[in-house]
Amino acid sequence: MDHLTDDDVLDAVGARLRALRRDRGITLADLASTTGVSESTLSRLESGQRRPSLELLLPLARIYDVPLDDLVGAPRTGDPRIHLKPINRFGMAFVPLSRRPGGVHAFKMIIPARPAPLEPTPQTHEGFEWLYVLDGRLRLVAGERDLTLSPGEAAEFDTTLPHWLGSADGGAVELLILFGLQGVRAHVRTDPHPSSRNGSRQ
């Protein structure tokens, strides 16, 4: 097994930062305004022309809401346990299930129980989303469609449409979510000849 040196880890930071920023739909100008780090410095950091430092990485870790170790991609040593850190947003908990930057990201989403269901407040952003309900009754508003999904049901939608997820009845809901940017889609493979296993049907 190859051993990564400190230089190897640092050299990979730029591409990881660029992928994180694009996944979140943030421009360099927005990031510069939020962090106080100049746009040119952020650009050179992402392109590998600027060496990452703690002073630069700490505000980025806060903006992206990820541990510094994840931002750097440093390997964890001595602890085989998987550490899942929930991200709390919009009154819901998102548990990241994937760690690699770019591509499709997997989350477990938990919508807490409330005395009464919330009224939808649809939002839009770049991307495409797939979801699968594990427990509870989910209300999904996507564009002009207003659906109630039960455990075992799945849905997919373009997140540039106004959309909203919430509890259909005020109870807690648990679901799995796959999220990717536009053009990044899940590839579903099926047996093109299902009858070949049991003989052809007449």
Side-chain angles (χ1 to χ4, degrees):
M1 183 175 179
D2 295 335
H3 176 69
L4 293 178
T5 66
D6 290 345
D7 286 340
D8 293 331
V9 172
L10 292 176
D11 287 344
V13 170
R16 185 173 291 105
L17 291 174
R18 182 185 295 110
L20 277 170
R21 179 175 60 78
R22 290 177 175 174
D23 279 354
R24 306 297 169 87
I26 303 173
T27 66
L28 281 173
D30 291 339
L31 193 59
S33 175
T34 307
T35 62
V37 180
S38 72
E39 191 172 340
S40 62
T41 297
L42 291 170
S43 178
R44 287 187 288 120
L45 188 61
E46 289 187 359
S47 65
Q49 298 175 11
R50 174 69 183 262
R51 199 69 165 173
S53 66
L54 193 60
E55 183 180 6
L56 293 174
L57 294 179
L58 281 176
L60 293 174
R62 283 194 292 268
I63 292 299
Y64 294 137
D65 195 20
V66 298
L68 191 59
D69 282 353
D70 288 1
L71 198 63
V72 177
R76 302 187 180 195
T77 59
D79 189 350
R81 293 174 297 178
I82 297 174
H83 300 265
L84 301 176
K85 180 183 178 182
I87 300 169
N88 294 297
R89 288 179 181 164
F90 314 115
M92 298 176 286
F94 298 82
V95 182
L97 302 178
S98 58
R99 292 172 54 88
R100 74 181 183 91
V104 175
H105 290 260
F107 298 88
K108 180 178 182 181
M109 178 178 171
I110 302 170
I111 302 174
R114 296 180 180 277
L118 295 175
E119 285 300 312
T121 53
Q123 299 184 4
T124 64
H125 55 85
E126 188 74 12
F128 200 86
E129 193 161 297
W130 306 260
L131 57 85
Y132 178 87
V133 180
L134 296 170
D135 191 31
R137 299 177 70 244
L138 175 73
R139 183 180 179 187
L140 167 63
V141 177
E144 297 181 355
R145 305 194 68 180
D146 191 335
L147 307 172
T148 297
L149 283 74
S150 299
E153 292 189 296
E156 61 178 357
F157 56 93
D158 186 332
T159 56
T160 59
L161 290 173
H163 61 280
W164 178 84
L165 302 176
S167 173
D169 54 14
V173 185
E174 295 185 15
L175 59 150
L176 294 178
I177 290 180
L178 295 178
F179 172 77
L181 292 179
Q182 286 295 341
V184 180
R185 299 291 180 90
H187 300 282
V188 179
R189 299 185 62 180
T190 58
D191 185 353
H193 305 293
S195 62
S196 62
R197 295 182 181 177
N198 300 314
S200 59
R201 295 181 180 176
Q202 301 298 327

